[in-house]
Each structure stands twice: as C-alpha cells, then as structure tokens.
C-alpha cells in the first residue's frame, strides 16, 4: 500500500464510512444522490473513477453517474448493459459480501456491459492493478431487490484491493444502497404528494400498499388517511387515528408539530427531518419525515401528505459509528482523536479564563512482560483495570484517554493542583494496589510525566511533548515514578 492507503486505513473503516455517509445522505433527489455517492467514493475511498449503474424500467442496467475522470464520464454515461450480462459477470468474480472482484485473467465472460479501459500500461507484477481488472459492489434494497452496481477503477495505490479495502467498499456499498433506496422512495412519494386531489384519489390503493408510512392530514393536523405501513410502523390502526391528531407525537414534540404544520400551511415542503416518535406500546423510534402540502387548482394548500420512514436502526448505527470514531474500543476511554480535540478546547478555555491546566502522560512499566507471561487476554484486563482506576480518580470534566498500547493521557483543568503533581502521585499509589485478574492478583506500576501550562502559550502538541519527555525521564529512573517537565530535569 502507498501513503494514501496507509492514511486511509489508519482510521477506523466505520469512521471513514460515517464521514462519507454524512455527505451522501443529505440529498433526497435520486440524481443528486447518485452524483454524491460517486464523488464521495472518489474522494474518500482512494479510487480515480467510480461508476453507478442503476436498474432501469426495462430491467437492464444503465450508467447513471460517473465520478472522477472526465474521459470515463464521456465514454460511459448513459450506456446500458443487459441484466443477464451483469448476472454472468457477477457470477465470475471473487465475492466478498456485496463486493465482487473480477481479475483480468478471467476469459470465460461472453456478455457485454458498459466498459471503460483506463489509460494505464499492463503491469508485470501480478499484484498490481491491471487495466482489465474489474471491481464492483452490488447495490440492493432492504428486501434484496437489485438496485444497481457501483464500480471503482484505478486505485491510487496502483495495486489490487486489499482485504481492508474490500471490507471498506462493502460497508460503503451497503450504506449507498440505503441512500439510493431512500432517494427513490422520497422522490416517488413527493411527486405523488404534489399532484392534485383527483390524482391522489386515483393513487389511494397504491398509497395503502406502500412499504413506508404515508399519512394525509387536514390543515388542522387531523389524520385523513393512514396506510397499512403506518400501522406496522406505529402500532395504531386507521380506525384508532382517523379524525384526530397523530397519537405518535410525544408531549415534548407538540410545539414542534405545530411549527411544522404552520410551514406546510404556508406551502413549504419538508424533507429528510429526523424526529423521535412513539409507538403504541410506548417505545420510542426515530423516523425520517418528508411532507408536502396538497394544492387545489388555484394553488392554495388544502391538505398535507407526510411520508415517515423508520430509521431507528440507521440512527443506532450512526451512533455506533460516532463512538467508534472517538472511543477506544477496549477501555471505552477517549481515543487519540478525541483527546486531541478535548486538549485544544481546554487550551482555548485556559487562554480565555487564565486558569491552570496540566497534561499527564502515563506509561505502564513492564507491560510487555505481562503480555509475554500471562497472554494478551490478561494484558487487556490490566488495561481495562487501569482505565477504571483513572476514571474513579478524576472528575467528569477531566479527559482520560488511551493513546494506544499501554499509554494513557489525562487533561486536568481548574483545580487546586495546577501542576497535576498531586494527582500523578495518587495515581501511582492507586496502581500499587493489586488488581484481581483472571490470572490472579497482579501489581502493575507506571511512569508518569506531567507538563503544566504557564506564562508562555503552548500548543497542544508542545504540551504533550513536554509531558512525554517527563514520562520518559521517570522511566529512565527505574519506573514507578513521577517527573514534572522543568529545569530540574534538564528539560526546560
């Protein structure tokens, strides 16, 4: 892998996909969604070209969006391949979840699909990317219906995809499938919602059978129609709700409902708004709301159509993605990214308030011996125990982080111990108590370095560097010791 791949894979794959999905899920129009997906893939996944083929009305697959190189866009956009040819190509590849890799050596493919050959030479190294290699991922709906295929070409590394890259592309394709399906549903629903009442009446049967909750309200907010999907989503039947306000609005959401209703009465559309709503059993779900006023022949609003999609699972996944981006998975402490962010915020507060602050860097003594003697499982138990003791000894306003391996860091603000010396001493004392682990009782000591703010402004990196230097001074002194950055160490 080259430097770009190293940089990409150094971050959590969940964090990468989370960042890209923030871009592509903010658009509900299908065409714009496809353009955002290919642009996000080129920008974030490390390929020069990304192509989306979507299933058209005849069942074939047509190239609907091309990101990256303009020559690829001109050659491919609007071209079409048959479903049978695509099925044959997918069957030939090496599958990994949604992802399919067809190396250039495969010669049994007899069909034709839209193809663009990149202007690169065929490499002699079999591990490098060949201009006839094909890498794509299947886009499918929640029910398994084929939506299309996402293809990528010309990896920046110049090499065939690694396992990590295939996993990342698979995760991205799963989220892109949701975005495409949602955009299709939103586009169809809102197009119907803007039609006249006469057209709406002809579509009553279709709305009743729609897979997402669709409601018609009068201008006072009372339910006029309630389809079967709304019953499946919220638990109330149509007879329970017709002629009254939707019962799924929590008490705290009443002002918000009135505000949304007012906007709709004024002729405004509402798209992609995430709200918390109640089910009949009292449980809470997250829904994505899109709504539009229904106009009469004179252009005056006479009703409201609301489309609500249960996105509780997506919201849960996004919460997990956010946690994965900023939390250490073993100890649940802040990771380095969150530590750096909290440190910069703390320094900004120090500059405004002229209050003291200290950074402590803690490295366990002889931790490698623990792993070598008892195994990495016990080593993990030690790290978790140290994390819990640090949390118990600090305040909720302090930051405790695991920077990696057996290295921990703390940011301490606004306390009577401005240099952090007293806290560092208490940490050493607390670690001296044996920890009860699966392998028995074990005592692990640490070397602690402290650096405090002073009259000279320091950056976060400089403050951490000073604390790190003090920690290594403690380690050179034999460990189980605390040192403070300053002239007495010859460090200032």
């Amino acid at each position: 892998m080259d430097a770009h791949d190293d940089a990409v894979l150094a971050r959590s794959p969940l964090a990468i996909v989370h960042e890209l999905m923030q871009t592509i899920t903010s658009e509900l129009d299908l065409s714009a969604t496809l353009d955002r997906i290919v642009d996000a893939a080129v920008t974030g996944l490390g390929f020069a070209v990304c192509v989306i083929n979507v299933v058209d009305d005849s069942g074939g697959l047509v190239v609907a969006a091309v990101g990256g190189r303009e020559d690829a866009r001109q050659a491919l956009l609007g071209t079409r391949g048959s479903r049978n040819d695509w099925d044959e190509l997918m069957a030939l590849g090496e599958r990994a979840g949604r992802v399919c890799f067809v190396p250039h050596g495969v010669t049994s493919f007899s069909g034709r699909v839209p193809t663009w050959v990149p202007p690169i030479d065929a490499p002699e190294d079999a591990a490098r990317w060949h201009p006839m290699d094909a890498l794509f991922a299947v886009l499918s709906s929640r029910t398994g219906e084929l939506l299309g295929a996402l293809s990528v070409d010309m990896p920046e590394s110049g090499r065939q995809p690694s396992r990590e890259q295939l996993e990342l592309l698979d995760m991205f394709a799963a989220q892109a499938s949701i975005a495409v399906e949602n955009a299709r549903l939103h586009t169809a629903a809102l197009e119907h919602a803007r039609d006249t009442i006469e057209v709406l009446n002809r579509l009553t049967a279709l709305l009743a059978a729609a897979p997402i909750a669709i409601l018609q309200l009068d201008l006072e907010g009372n339910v006029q129609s309630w389809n079967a999907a709304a019953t499946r989503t919220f638990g109330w039947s149509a007879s329970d709700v017709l002629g009254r306000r939707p019962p799924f609005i929590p008490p705290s959401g009443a002002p918000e409902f009135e505000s949304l209703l007012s906007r709709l009465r004024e002729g405004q559309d509402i798209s992609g708004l995430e709200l918390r709503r109640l089910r009949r059993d009292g449980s809470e779900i997250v829904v994505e709301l899109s709504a539009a006023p229904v106009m009469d022949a004179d252009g005056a609003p006479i009703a409201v159509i609301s489309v609500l999609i249960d996105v509780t699972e997506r919201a849960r996944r996004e919460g997990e993605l956010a946690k994965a981006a900023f939390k250490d998975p073993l100890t649940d402490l802040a990771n380095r990214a969150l530590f750096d962010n909290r440190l910069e915020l703390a320094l900004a507060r120090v500059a405004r308030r002229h209050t003291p602050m200290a950074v402590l860097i803690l490295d366990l003594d002889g931790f490698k011996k623990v792993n070598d003697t008892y195994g990495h499982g016990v080593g993990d138990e030690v790290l978790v125990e140290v994390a819990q003791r640090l949390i118990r000894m600090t305040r909720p306003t302090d930051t405790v982080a695991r920077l990696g391996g057996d290295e921990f860091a703390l940011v301490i603000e606004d306390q009577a111990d401005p240099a952090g010396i007293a806290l560092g001493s208490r940490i050493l004392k607390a670690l001296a108590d044996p920890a009860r682990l699966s392998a028995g009782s074990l005592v692990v000591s640490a070397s602690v370095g402290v650096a405090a703010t002073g009259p000279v402004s320091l950056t976060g990196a400089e403050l951490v560097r000073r604390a790190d230097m003090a920690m290594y001074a403690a380690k050179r002194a034999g460990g189980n010791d605390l040192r403070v950055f300053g002239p007495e160490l010859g460090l200032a």
Side-chain angles (χ1 to χ4, degrees):
M1 291 186 291
D2 66 0
H4 177 277
D5 292 317
D6 289 337
V8 168
L9 298 177
R11 294 182 294 151
S12 161
L14 289 175
I16 296 171
V17 174
H18 177 64
E19 293 172 6
L20 298 180
M21 292 311 300
Q22 293 299 304
T23 300
I24 69 177
T25 57
S26 60
E27 180 59 68
L28 294 175
D29 177 76
L30 179 58
S31 177
T33 293
L34 297 177
D35 287 339
R36 290 197 177 194
I37 289 173
V38 295
D39 290 344
V42 170
T43 302
L45 297 184
F47 294 91
V49 177
C50 178
V51 180
I52 289 186
N53 296 260
V54 296
V55 177
D56 64 13
D57 294 338
S58 65
L61 278 78
V62 61
V63 176
V66 180
R69 293 177 61 105
E70 182 60 27
D71 53 345
R73 177 182 175 85
Q74 292 181 4
L76 292 176
L77 196 62
T79 57
R80 188 177 179 279
S82 75
R83 174 66 181 269
N84 289 339
D85 289 342
W86 271 99
D87 288 343
E88 181 182 349
L89 179 63
M90 294 176 187
L92 292 173
E94 303 169 8
R95 295 295 293 269
R98 295 172 181 263
V99 178
C100 184
F101 176 60
V102 183
H104 63 277
V106 175
T107 58
S108 57
F109 180 58
S110 60
R112 297 182 64 186
V113 297
T115 302
W116 172 78
V117 179
I120 57 176
D121 296 330
E124 295 181 1
D125 183 357
R128 298 195 65 79
W129 184 263
H130 191 281
M132 296 303 294
D133 287 341
L135 177 60
F136 56 90
V138 176
L139 303 179
S140 57
S141 70
R142 296 171 178 85
T143 59
E145 173 192 1
L146 180 67
L147 300 175
L150 183 150
S151 312
V152 291
D153 206 339
M154 294 182 67
E156 293 181 7
S157 66
R159 304 185 68 81
Q160 292 186 356
S162 66
R163 179 179 60 82
E164 291 84 359
Q165 288 174 309
L166 294 177
E167 291 175 352
L168 185 57
L169 182 59
D170 183 58
M171 294 169 62
F172 180 78
Q175 295 299 311
S177 296
I178 295 173
V180 171
E181 185 178 19
N182 284 348
R184 287 176 57 180
L185 291 170
H186 275 287
T187 299
L190 291 179
E191 285 175 354
H192 290 310
R194 294 189 182 99
D195 286 337
T196 64
I197 289 294
E198 180 182 354
V199 175
L200 181 61
N201 289 335
R202 292 202 301 265
L203 294 175
T204 299
L206 175 61
L207 298 182
I212 54 178
I214 301 178
L215 286 64
Q216 180 176 322
L217 309 177
D218 63 23
L219 296 183
E220 299 303 316
N222 299 310
V223 178
Q224 292 181 323
S225 70
W226 176 274
N227 70 347
T231 295
R232 292 193 296 271
T233 300
F234 297 106
W236 287 278
S237 66
S239 60
D240 295 326
V241 301
L242 291 177
R244 55 178 289 208
R245 292 288 185 94
F248 51 62
I249 300 171
S252 60
E256 177 186 59
F257 178 75
E258 294 296 341
S259 174
L260 294 174
L261 195 59
S262 176
R263 289 170 55 186
L264 291 162
R265 289 194 199 103
E266 294 171 358
Q268 300 181 36
D269 289 355
I270 297 167
S271 296
L273 184 63
E274 283 197 7
L275 302 167
R276 296 194 175 273
R277 291 293 182 253
L278 298 176
R279 287 181 48 82
R280 187 170 189 168
D281 61 10
S283 61
E284 189 177 71
I285 61 175
V286 180
V287 299
E288 186 175 87
L289 167 70
S290 292
V294 179
M295 306 298 188
D296 63 13
D298 297 323
I302 56 175
V304 171
I305 289 291
S306 296
V307 178
L308 300 105
I309 302 174
D310 184 352
V311 294
T312 306
E313 181 63 20
R314 187 183 78 187
R316 182 191 66 79
R317 287 198 303 270
E318 288 176 349
E320 290 178 348
L321 289 171
K323 182 176 180 180
F326 296 110
K327 288 287 188 176
D328 173 56
L330 175 64
T331 63
D332 204 38
L333 297 179
N335 64 7
R336 182 177 289 274
L338 183 55
F339 171 80
D340 290 342
N341 177 263
R342 294 267 185 88
L343 178 57
E344 293 304 320
L345 292 175
L347 285 170
R349 286 191 292 269
V350 165
R352 289 196 309 270
R353 302 172 184 171
H354 305 290
T355 52
M357 188 190 86
V359 169
L360 287 76
I361 300 293
L362 179 151
D363 191 87
L364 301 184
D365 299 326
F367 184 69
K368 182 178 183 301
K369 184 177 180 181
V370 173
N371 279 334
D372 292 344
T373 303
Y374 300 101
H376 287 276
V378 173
D380 287 349
E381 291 180 46
V382 170
L383 296 174
V384 171
E385 177 65 23
V386 170
Q388 291 174 348
R389 293 189 185 188
L390 293 176
I391 288 293
R392 288 196 295 267
M393 299 181 64
T394 52
R395 304 163 299 174
T397 54
D398 299 329
T399 294
V400 183
R402 180 187 175 207
L403 302 185
D406 58 331
E407 186 176 30
F408 297 82
L410 296 86
V411 177
I412 311 298
E413 297 180 69
D414 300 328
Q415 63 174 18
D417 175 31
I421 299 173
L423 175 61
S425 299
R426 292 198 303 273
I427 289 173
L428 292 178
K429 184 177 180 181
L431 292 180
D433 292 335
R436 292 188 177 88
L437 309 173
S438 59
S441 294
L442 188 65
V443 175
V444 178
S445 64
S447 300
V448 179
V450 181
T453 54
V456 178
S457 296
L458 298 172
T459 66
E462 289 169 339
L463 201 56
V464 169
R465 182 182 62 82
R466 290 184 171 195
D468 212 42
M469 291 172 65
M471 180 273 291
Y472 278 109
K475 195 168 284 288
R476 287 193 300 271
N480 194 26
D481 195 6
L482 177 146
R483 295 298 170 94
V484 180
F485 183 91
E488 64 276 11
L489 292 181
L491 299 177

